[in-house]
Amino acid sequence: MTCAAVLGLSVSALASTYTKVTADPGNWSGEYLIVYENGETGYAMDGSLDNPDATTNFFEVSLGEGKIVGDHDGSLFTVSPKTGGYSILSTSEKYIGSSTTGTSGNLKSSTTDDFTNVISWTNGHVQIKSADKFYLIYNTSSKKFRYYTSESTNTQFYKKDGGSATNPAASVTLNASTITRNQYERFALQATVVGEDASKPCTEVISW
């Protein structure tokens, strides 16, 4: 989350917006949240993990009117074209895919572009297929994202929009005791902004 302030001690929280893909764009290049939709709640694959196949490799997001609003840029996946399909690169700089010899329920990663994913729009959802036989889905039983032999009609891409939006779920805490005057005759205010994910507060010193 980003803290923003203007003179007069007005502080607001800014968040990114991610819009659901609802048709085949022709070219899938871009930055996306990979999301399993479950009513008004979604489970997004966590692209910030050094190990994409970690025990918990997802986080919850709120879904509304085809958009997700929040500070999730650190969990994006970048889709880029390559021969035979696309590469999928996490924010943690790990390419993901499946083993050609593996069994259902695997997820491989590498710092080099070793995997090819075929991405298509099928019956209202995104289909991500690797090694020509495994689909990237969220498994509701094991509660994690992996490649399986069966696809899921709940898998969707939410593409990052340009710009920022005010996050209505954020609150701002200002402590007057943190207002200080430094040697350059300027004032500094420390503001703590807590958004939808309270485990990731944003604390910045804002000067004017």
Side-chain angles (χ1 to χ4, degrees):
M1 181 172 295
T2 302
C3 295
V6 296
L7 191 60
L9 311 189
S10 174
V11 181
S12 61
L14 301 183
S16 295
T17 302
Y18 314 86
T19 300
K20 181 179 176 178
V21 175
T22 57
D24 188 341
N27 185 339
W28 290 96
S29 298
E31 294 179 300
Y32 301 92
L33 291 175
I34 302 173
V35 177
Y36 172 89
E37 293 186 331
N38 183 31
E40 295 181 353
T41 300
Y43 304 117
M45 189 172 182
D46 193 346
S48 70
L49 300 174
D50 187 57
N51 174 19
D53 195 34
T55 301
T56 302
N57 65 352
F58 72 96
F59 58 94
E60 288 191 10
V61 291
S62 296
L63 307 177
E65 299 182 352
K67 292 185 181 295
I68 296 172
V69 177
D71 180 21
H72 306 309
D73 286 4
S75 295
L76 290 168
F77 288 85
T78 300
V79 174
S80 302
K82 61 179 297 187
T83 301
Y86 295 86
S87 63
I88 300 179
L89 179 65
S90 68
T91 305
S92 61
E93 300 295 319
K94 296 295 177 65
Y95 292 93
I96 63 169
S98 68
S99 169
T100 57
T101 59
T103 58
S104 180
N106 75 89
L107 192 159
K108 305 296 182 183
S109 63
S110 175
T111 55
T112 56
D113 189 3
D114 297 336
F115 312 104
T116 300
N117 291 273
V118 176
I119 302 172
S120 58
W121 180 256
T122 307
N123 298 323
H125 71 279
V126 173
Q127 185 184 87
I128 307 167
K129 193 174 184 180
S130 179
D132 201 31
K133 61 179 179 179
F134 296 121
Y135 301 93
L136 179 62
I137 67 170
Y138 173 81
N139 187 305
T140 56
S141 296
S142 61
K143 298 187 183 302
K144 71 182 303 179
F145 279 91
R146 274 184 166 176
Y147 286 86
Y148 295 88
T149 52
S150 299
E151 66 172 318
S152 169
T153 58
N154 298 73
T155 305
Q156 302 290 356
F157 271 167
Y158 280 73
K159 190 171 186 178
K160 181 185 176 182
D161 293 347
S164 300
T166 300
N167 185 353
S171 61
V172 181
T173 301
L174 301 180
N175 186 337
S177 65
T178 65
I179 301 177
T180 59
R181 181 177 178 179
N182 63 27
Q183 60 180 325
Y184 299 106
E185 300 299 322
R186 301 177 67 194
F187 292 88
L189 167 68
Q190 179 171 300
T192 300
V193 181
V194 180
E196 294 178 80
D197 185 352
S199 68
K200 299 178 180 179
C202 168
T203 302
E204 290 189 5
V205 175
I206 307 158
S207 301
W208 71 92

